[in-house]
Amino acid sequence: VQVADAASLEISSTVSWEFWRKTNNSKGDDGYMTRWKKTDDSRTFAIEGRADNGRLQLEVSSDGTAGAGYSGVVFDTCGVANEWTYIVITFDAGATKFYCNSNLINSTTLGTTSLLTTGTSPLTIGFSNSNSVYTNGSMDEVAIYKKALTADEALAHYRRLANRLTLKVRSCADATCSANPSFVGPSGTTATTYSELSNTSLNPPSLWSLPDS
């Protein structure tokens, strides 16, 4: 996926990158998310898997070059091949944290404290425009936030998707549900359930609520 350069993509000093990945190899030169155009010194950030050990690395630049404004960090091992793993990387004026399945694995401070905001590089997802490699596997639930997610937020996001909770509801005419109606899902029947994948429906059943007093 490639997103053209736009003002909404410009992030100066605070950002979080979030995604789920399922890599086909424990070692691989994988591209995950980048804005890293070398040809006109338009480097901003790059998240990739290292070819030698499969560990994720983050590269950032404040001036678009790989010189004075550049910093990078290689994170510890996270996840195994062919299993979905939840990743969060936060950058806050150089303070960088790496969460694996909501657990804080690395915390370090980079010399670079801000990201290039005048570059022209597109955002690539599942591909690195730093070294022209694709993700060797799958990605899902990709998000970029203009803030540093907290540990509690990372845990909440992880649980929401890892648990994939489903539920059914029933609409009662009175507080005791004496008529014993069936629990149903968004279709109004017992055949479906509400879940993270179908949470946009406002259709029946309606929910019975208690009065204010």
Side-chain angles (χ1 to χ4, degrees), residues 1-212:
V1 176
Q2 178 169 294
V3 182
D5 177 48
S8 60
L9 296 178
E10 306 302 344
I11 301 170
S12 176
S13 61
T14 306
V15 58
S16 296
W17 300 277
E18 176 186 57
F19 58 94
W20 286 77
R21 71 163 182 170
K22 183 169 68 171
T23 181
N24 293 334
N25 295 305
S26 58
K27 297 181 180 181
D29 194 12
D30 293 334
Y32 291 100
M33 279 194 280
T34 63
R35 291 193 69 201
W36 199 264
K37 190 177 179 182
K38 299 177 182 179
T39 53
D40 60 357
D41 283 340
S42 190
R43 300 169 176 87
T44 302
F45 71 85
I47 301 171
E48 301 163 326
R50 291 179 59 88
D52 55 350
N53 56 22
R55 290 159 60 181
L56 288 177
Q57 66 179 16
L58 170 68
E59 298 175 286
V60 295
S61 179
S62 60
D63 60 7
T65 74
Y70 168 88
S71 292
V73 59
V74 179
F75 301 115
D76 289 342
T77 301
C78 173
V80 297
N82 299 310
E83 290 187 8
W84 283 104
T85 304
Y86 174 68
I87 304 293
V88 172
I89 301 171
T90 66
F91 176 90
D92 189 1
T96 304
K97 295 182 178 181
F98 174 59
Y99 296 88
C100 174
N101 287 334
S102 78
N103 298 306
L104 179 61
I105 303 298
N106 295 107
S107 181
T108 188
T109 299
L110 301 179
T112 300
T113 59
S114 62
L115 304 181
L116 177 71
T117 58
T118 58
T120 59
S121 177
L123 167 66
T124 60
I125 300 171
F127 175 79
S128 170
N129 52 11
S130 168
N131 54 12
S132 299
V133 294
Y134 289 91
T135 298
N136 189 4
S138 303
M139 295 179 67
D140 198 6
E141 302 291 341
V142 177
I144 300 176
Y145 304 88
K146 292 185 177 181
K147 67 173 188 175
L149 292 177
T150 66
D152 287 343
E153 288 173 323
L155 177 59
H157 292 189
Y158 170 72
R159 284 178 170 172
R160 184 188 71 195
L161 293 170
N163 293 340
R164 284 295 187 195
L165 297 178
T166 61
L167 60 93
K168 295 181 180 181
V169 298
R170 62 181 181 178
S171 181
C172 301
D174 57 73
T176 64
C177 281
S178 57
N180 197 29
S182 298
F183 284 91
V184 298
S187 67
T189 71
T190 59
T192 57
T193 59
Y194 288 95
S195 73
E196 186 67 25
L197 300 178
S198 62
N199 63 355
T200 59
S201 174
L202 296 177
N203 291 325
S206 59
L207 299 180
W208 185 85
S209 60
L210 291 171
D212 295 333

